Amino acid sequence: MLMKDLFELTEIADEYLKSDKTVEISIINSIKDIVFNNGYFGIAQINTIAGDLEYNSKKIAKYIRFASAVGLEAVVFPEFALNGFPIGDVVKRHGVLLSDTKKWLKEIAEFAGNTVALVGFMEQSGDSSKYYNSVAVLRYGQVQRIIRKQVISNTSRYNDNKYQVADISDDDLYCGYGITIGDEIFSDKQILQLVYNKRPKLFINCALNTYADSRKILRANCYSYFASKYKKPFIYVNQTGANDNILFDGTSRVYDASGNLIARAKYCEEQFLIVNPTGGEGKIYPLPDGYDIGLRDNEEFSLYYGDLERIYKSLVTGVKDYFSKCGFKRAVLGLSGGLDSTVCAVILADALGKENVFGVSMPSHITSKESKTDAEQLANNLGIGFAEAPIWEMVETTALSLNGLFTNVEKKWNVRYKNPYTPDNIQARSRAMFLWGISNEFESCVPIATSDKSEAYMGYATINGDMSGGFAPIADITKTKLFALAKWINKNRPQKDVIPQSVIDKRPGAELAIDPKTGKPLKAEDALMPYEFLDEIIWRIENKHQCYNELLNTVFVYEKRNNISKVQKQEWLDKFYRRMSTAFYKWSIMPPFVMVEPHSINSCDYTQPITTSHINYKGADVKYINSCLGSNSGA
Amino acid sequence: MLMKDLFELTEIADEYLKSDKTVEISIINSIKDIVFNNGYFGIAQINTIAGDLEYNSKKIAKYIRFASAVGLEAVVFPEFALNGFPIGDVVKRHGVLLSDTKKWLKEIAEFAGNTVALVGFMEQSGDSSKYYNSVAVLRYGQVQRIIRKQVISNTSRYNDNKYQVADISDDDLYCGYGITIGDEIFSDKQILQLVYNKRPKLFINCALNTYADSRKILRANCYSYFASKYKKPFIYVNQTGANDNILFDGTSRVYDASGNLIARAKYCEEQFLIVNPTGGEGKIYPLPDGYDIGLRDNEEFSLYYGDLERIYKSLVTGVKDYFSKCGFKRAVLGLSGGLDSTVCAVILADALGKENVFGVSMPSHITSKESKTDAEQLANNLGIGFAEAPIWEMVETTALSLNGLFTNVEKKWNVRYKNPYTPDNIQARSRAMFLWGISNEFESCVPIATSDKSEAYMGYATINGDMSGGFAPIADITKTKLFALAKWINKNRPQKDVIPQSVIDKRPGAELAIDPKTGKPLKAEDALMPYEFLDEIIWRIENKHQCYNELLNTVFVYEKRNNISKVQKQEWLDKFYRRMSTAFYKWSIMPPFVMVEPHSINSCDYTQPITTSHINYKGADVKYINSCLGSNSGA
């Protein structure tokens, strides 16, 4: 056997730790030879299931056993490692979760021998429906100390700040470790300075960050700054993986006393890392391409998306975790031969395994032959299940039944539309009926909603139709980015060119209605506006918080490439605001989807009451206001 | 003309204020004769539209004009009167809302002459995406002063606490009025004591409370306590009406310096009230029956619901406001002859007018003749539109298409259920397809989801079927309460006995499947558990926060009346927790509904991540924990 270095050995051990197997004794001994009594720390970047104490505890115990066996000085787990996150209002309903946490923690402590284990957990407070956000110090078979978060921020979307109680404790030093929890170090209470005053030998931050959090922290280079300011090593341990819509991005980091990065864990992967913070030994794993794209100071909208590897990994993790944590196995989706369903199929196949994905082509009388061919070609390329199931009989029967009904309703209501969307929607809903049917008929199978972010903004999706499903893999990705992602997939996935080129080349359209001008299926951009323009509006209102008038006065990338009039631009902006203001209801019933961009329409990131649809987004001037209010003459 | 007293005159004026008409000069003069320079205050309990500055400003200006014309000392509006509530993340996206608010306020001020007007509004802070929760003091045509909320609570579900900035101001006294905003007076910062130290002549609290808030405040008799403690009159002004899921309950109140209630506005109605806080003159309008039912110290679950008048008014207001504020006019719903759709139809008719409601009976091969008769009878009684549209052709065609598809899927997936819910769900989804079809075909028409709270807890509702719609009127009401409400409606609505007795008498069932034992449609209670038992679980977990083991050891009302074994009880409790843990996804896609009970499954009141479905609700003992974690031998 060749001599392996510490990091190779750790990688081998890591594979065992993630599997059901126990780590081979030879590996343990080889690692022990290097790390025993030499100031090495274990970074346990774990993926937890929210509220599943048994699952999380087993994992934590296994990692602690390993850390003790190899003789690490300490092993550090993230914030809320034992309980997972988010918890929402669960503590209010399942008080047992708080009392049980204590029990599990006590038993886990038995595995901590000489090695110190730091485990984030929810600590029941005196008021039984509240808790401290705490880190337990486990050693010599017992809970030695509990450190509580001192500042609870007000910004969480997950209700947890309603239940967390802050506590100023003097006990945040153990063995010379200055221990802090999550974002309290960024508060104006100068928590780190207070800890520093107690003369720690190094800092440890047990945290819980999404990509959106991380980019803010990294943009300001906070951890490195703290390390170099106080001249102490800084250990930051994060969770990884998704629960519902929130995705923790891993990339735990260790900085030496000069602020140099000496170790970094992978993005969105469970990992056990060994590092020597004072000795400066560690391994820096690469970040996915474009991880730092949000870190530039002067962010500009661009159609050249550089963070596609990060997006791809995030989407696959989002799907994989939602399915496995909820206990689902299979997915069924409609394959239209269009971009959205195509990208969804690839993500699903990679997240669940091709044998667990079934694609159904459901042509109507409008569906082109090319669409059907593309759908089948993709399914064959991916090796997923495939069937064709025409919807025309169902559409015809439904339309017939409805026509009779409409005649009856019309007798009472003389407000029938001349050109209703009814025929379009019957098609979309018939397809959803098929997919939900399969989900009802086969075990552990979830139908997929294929709506993308551009369409969600425009409300360009059918209720109980294409926007309906148990999960919506790409609801946080705009259309132009999806095109870029499709190209990236063809180039970078182990199996190349899985997506038929014609899918990438054609202009998107729902194929639900015929354009009377061309006699061909209506294209989405004709009903909406050019996607390049639309996606820049979305980017600007999400990232720059620009209002209507600011957008009007900003030169769009699309404008630089195409000659459009001010009137045309205004028309598109008006259409955007008008459509968005009627889309809030649809957002409120969107299936779950994981947030992968810094901003999202997910209700965890953005909420707007449906009744606010009348907001005057253009603003009013004094003249208009006075004309509304009338004169001050009598009551 | 008979001499009318002040309160009769105010009622007449109030009618004008709510309409498009201006108040008659004779009324104004009569009121003026009494109130001018005599220390009278106006209480403007208004119903606002969230974010609609124009609508709200017009209303506020009209009230101020009136107050000035009759010569009131002051007129008081609620917290956030100008902007409405909730606002959610709107300020982040529509910065124009904050800058426009300032403009509208300035113009409104022109209507305030000698009369002081206090108007709650969102005041832009230095950081333009944040705001103060403020009250403007308007007088002599100008904004005289701005009072800011000093304590922002952490408990809002509406994200507004993320955007609100607290400010300690020394200016909370004007004209001797000690002005406070909302719940800051309940914080441990002793805001009212601080205000009192400045020697006010009376207290004014501009607030924004739901029924759930109000009952907490009233249970502790807070306002009266404050008045008597400080020996100063206390004026409390609340908003009324619904925005999306939140309903403000009105019932603004004035207490004299001894803590006696001297005036109270109506529940859930816009109202202008005149009161003399120091002179002790005012009118106390009655509360709906059972308003104070939550105020008793020792709350017990009961099947004799005493608060049906309050529930009924709340539901009607919820529907009326959602429709009018979103700009909808008509509703269409399926009439099954069952309790849920029947109660929904009555609520809709009373909220929207019978001419704007259409009921469709959609029988399948399972539907009983009685169900059809009951549906038609109800529609005739109410005078709403009615048609029958059988679904069997559609169901047959769908089933046929699906069977072919299933055979294809089965070739790949050998996991087809023996007794799937597919046939049941096809029926429910076909009906939803009809209702959404009507909504697509006729102007301004919303399909109604008829799910109730008991069924929502059990996930006993079909996705894209009966739980789908643009609004869900009764999603906060449990089944036993719906029965009580139906009886109350028959007895108390102006038109008596509108609901056929057979609807109230029959046991509920979805009529989607045949019970193989009886050959008759399966009843819901056979699939679930007795509703009396189910509803008590719901009540206990919501109100008493009881866990599984506590529920097991509590004697239920149902147990007192029926002889059931411990094993049976345990089986029902297990079923409850098992079903609830798979219902979170359905809760997340529930259509909007107004919360009328103190607790709700609405995501504004309770959220539980879908991935937490594996929580061990029974708790674990040390023996089990140790068996999970294994022994401490090696890694």
Side-chain angles (χ1 to χ4, degrees), chain B residues 351-380:
Chain B
L352 309 175
K354 60 185 180 183
E355 66 283 4
N356 292 315
V357 183
F358 205 101
V360 189
S361 164
M362 295 173 283
S364 73
H365 58 290
I366 298 174
T367 310
S368 64
K369 204 182 149 222
E370 195 194 41
S371 294
K372 285 189 272 187
T373 320
D374 285 343
E376 188 162 9
Q377 186 61 51
L378 172 82
N380 289 342

Side-chain angles (χ1 to χ4, degrees), chain A residues 13-26:
Chain A
D14 190 35
E15 285 306 312
Y16 281 105
L17 287 168
K18 282 185 213 167
S19 75
D20 287 337
K21 295 180 214 157
T22 48
V23 186
E24 269 178 47
I25 193 77
S26 65

Side-chain angles (χ1 to χ4, degrees), chain A residues 22-23 28 49-52 54 57-58 65-66 86 89-90 92-96 100 103-104 107 110-111 154-155 157 159 161-162 243-244 322 325 330-331 355-356 358 383 385 397-398 401 405-406 409 412-413 415-417 420 422 425 429-430 433-434 436-438 440-443 445 457 463-464 468-470 541-542 545 547 577 585 588-589 592 605-612 614-615 617 619-620 622 624-626 628-632 634-635, chain B residues 22-23 28 49-52 54 57-58 65-66 86 89-90 92-96 100 103-104 107 110-111 154-155 157 159 161-162 243-244 322 325 330-331 355-356 358 383 385 394 397 401 405-406 409 412-413 415-417 420 422 425 429-430 433-434 436-438 440-443 445 457 463-464 468-470 541-542 545 547 577 585 588-589 592 605-612 614-615 617 619-620 622 624-626 628-632 634-635:
Chain A
T22 48
V23 186
I28 291 185
I49 301 180
D52 194 336
E54 184 173 327
S57 294
K58 279 182 183 168
R65 266 204 302 261
F66 171 75
D89 298 303
V90 172
K92 199 164 130 188
R93 180 145 304 169
H94 295 287
V96 72
D100 268 28
K103 290 190 210 165
W104 285 94
E107 299 310 310
E110 307 235 344
F111 297 99
N154 205 13
T155 56
R157 303 277 163 163
N159 286 341
N161 49 357
K162 289 184 64 176
N243 276 304
D244 283 23
Y322 185 79
K325 292 179 185 182
R330 297 174 192 86
E355 67 284 3
N356 291 316
F358 206 102
T397 312
T398 309
S401 300
L405 179 56
F406 291 161
V409 177
K412 178 107 184 170
W413 287 345
V415 287
R416 193 162 169 183
Y417 283 115
T422 323
N425 285 336
R429 288 183 188 129
S430 297
M433 193 105 131
F434 279 19
W436 280 100
I438 293 174
N440 287 148
E441 193 80 13
F442 292 88
E443 277 174 26
C445 174
Y457 261 98
I463 296 161
N464 296 4
S468 142
I541 62 168
E542 287 194 342
H545 309 302
C547 292
Y577 276 92
Y585 162 70
S588 82
I589 57 161
D605 190 61
Y606 185 83
T607 59
Q608 182 161 351
I610 302 165
T611 41
T612 62
H614 296 297
I615 285 181
Y617 50 84
V622 175
Y624 178 77
I625 293 175
N626 281 323
C628 283
L629 296 180
S631 69
N632 185 10
Chain B
T22 48
V23 186
I28 290 184
I49 300 181
D52 194 337
E54 183 172 329
S57 295
K58 278 181 182 168
R65 266 203 304 259
F66 171 74
D89 298 302
V90 172
K92 198 165 129 186
R93 180 145 304 169
H94 296 287
V96 71
D100 268 29
K103 290 189 208 164
W104 285 95
E107 300 311 308
E110 307 234 342
F111 298 100
N154 205 12
T155 57
R157 303 277 164 163
N159 286 342
N161 49 358
K162 288 185 65 173
N243 276 303
D244 285 20
Y322 185 80
K325 292 179 185 182
R330 298 174 190 87
E355 66 283 4
N356 292 315
F358 205 101
M394 193 175 153
T397 312
S401 300
L405 179 54
F406 291 162
V409 177
K412 178 108 182 166
W413 287 345
V415 287
R416 195 162 168 183
Y417 284 116
T422 323
N425 285 335
R429 289 183 188 128
S430 297
M433 192 106 131
F434 279 20
W436 280 101
I438 294 173
N440 286 148
E441 194 80 13
F442 292 88
E443 276 174 28
C445 174
Y457 260 99
I463 297 160
N464 295 3
S468 141
I541 62 168
E542 287 192 343
H545 308 302
C547 292
Y577 276 92
Y585 163 70
S588 82
I589 57 162
D605 189 60
Y606 185 83
T607 58
Q608 182 161 352
I610 301 164
T611 41
T612 61
H614 296 297
I615 284 181
Y617 50 83
V622 174
Y624 178 77
I625 293 176
N626 280 323
C628 283
L629 296 180
S631 68
N632 185 9

